[in-house]
Amino acid sequence: MDVLDVKVPRRTLGHLLLVFLLSTLGGYWAGAASPDTALEAVRKIIGQIGPISDSSFHNFVKIFTNNSMVALLTFISGLFFGLGPWFIMAFNGFVVGLVVFAVHRMGGMPMGQILLGLVPHGVVEIPAIALAGVAGIVWYREIISGEGDGGERFRRGAVKGLKLFALSVLLLFVAALIEAYVTPRVAGL
């Protein structure tokens, strides 16, 4: 798959998404194994994020800014031997699993409503974050490719990675619009 004249390693993208999914299940199971710990973790997350605004626009800005920062961190972490994105996807998946457990089991929200609260924007947002990770991995792989001198490989990798990262940010913009304006109505939140 070529995007913006950059070959996207579909296999890497798929594996990052699989890591996220499996980690989400792991987070849910960890919450079930230790509900008090899960609830405390969710309280800390809510404390860091802050309250949801009555203004969809303010929520959009907050969501887009937060997700763009996560994508940037995921992108840059790809330079750490190509390993950073795997840890970030696993961590974020685990946190989503904990939150789903806490909201479902302890908050009493039906699983269908939780899925309606996650799926509309999540189908764009999660692949966008994974794509940012792929962008960092592409950059790293180009640096170590051995074709050309070090500076040339660095620049070539940066160009390829930044093109994919820009696409990731564009997708996050769309996901934030969906999360701020569509998801609350669809999920009845």
Side-chain angles (χ1 to χ4, degrees):
M1 171 169 57
D2 290 333
V3 178
L4 303 170
D5 293 328
V6 178
K7 184 170 173 67
V8 178
R10 288 184 285 177
R11 195 173 192 182
T12 303
L13 180 64
H15 287 146
L16 282 171
L17 292 171
L18 182 62
V19 164
F20 180 86
L21 177 64
L22 294 175
S23 298
T24 301
L25 294 172
Y28 189 89
W29 290 330
S34 181
D36 291 337
T37 304
L39 190 57
E40 185 58 32
V42 170
R43 282 189 184 124
K44 285 182 182 179
I45 292 165
I46 291 170
Q48 289 175 348
I49 294 172
I52 296 172
S53 172
D54 290 337
S55 165
S56 294
F57 179 74
H58 286 123
N59 290 332
F60 161 75
V61 170
K62 189 177 198 178
I63 292 164
F64 178 66
T65 302
N66 179 65
N67 289 342
S68 294
M69 295 310 296
V70 171
L72 180 61
L73 176 63
T74 306
F75 172 55
I76 297 299
S77 75
L79 293 174
F80 295 99
F81 308 104
L83 298 174
W86 302 96
F87 292 110
I88 291 172
M89 292 300 289
F91 175 77
N92 282 316
F94 190 84
V95 169
V96 168
L98 280 177
V99 170
V100 168
F101 172 80
V103 171
H104 176 61
R105 290 282 179 89
M106 304 176 90
M109 186 179 287
M111 190 57 79
Q113 189 175 12
I114 293 171
L115 290 175
L116 286 174
L118 293 174
V119 171
H121 66 276
V123 297
V124 179
E125 181 180 304
I126 302 308
I129 299 289
L131 184 61
V134 168
I137 293 169
V138 163
W139 189 0
Y140 172 73
R141 287 178 181 168
E142 192 67 37
I143 291 170
I144 64 167
S145 71
E147 298 173 21
D149 69 47
E152 178 185 333
R153 293 191 313 259
F154 184 88
R155 284 187 297 278
R156 194 171 53 232
V159 168
K160 288 179 179 180
L162 286 169
K163 286 180 180 181
L164 292 175
F165 179 71
L167 178 60
S168 170
V169 172
L170 178 63
L171 290 170
L172 289 172
F173 183 84
V174 172
L177 285 172
I178 294 169
E179 188 171 359
Y181 292 97
V182 177
T183 297
R185 287 169 181 79
V186 170
L189 301 174

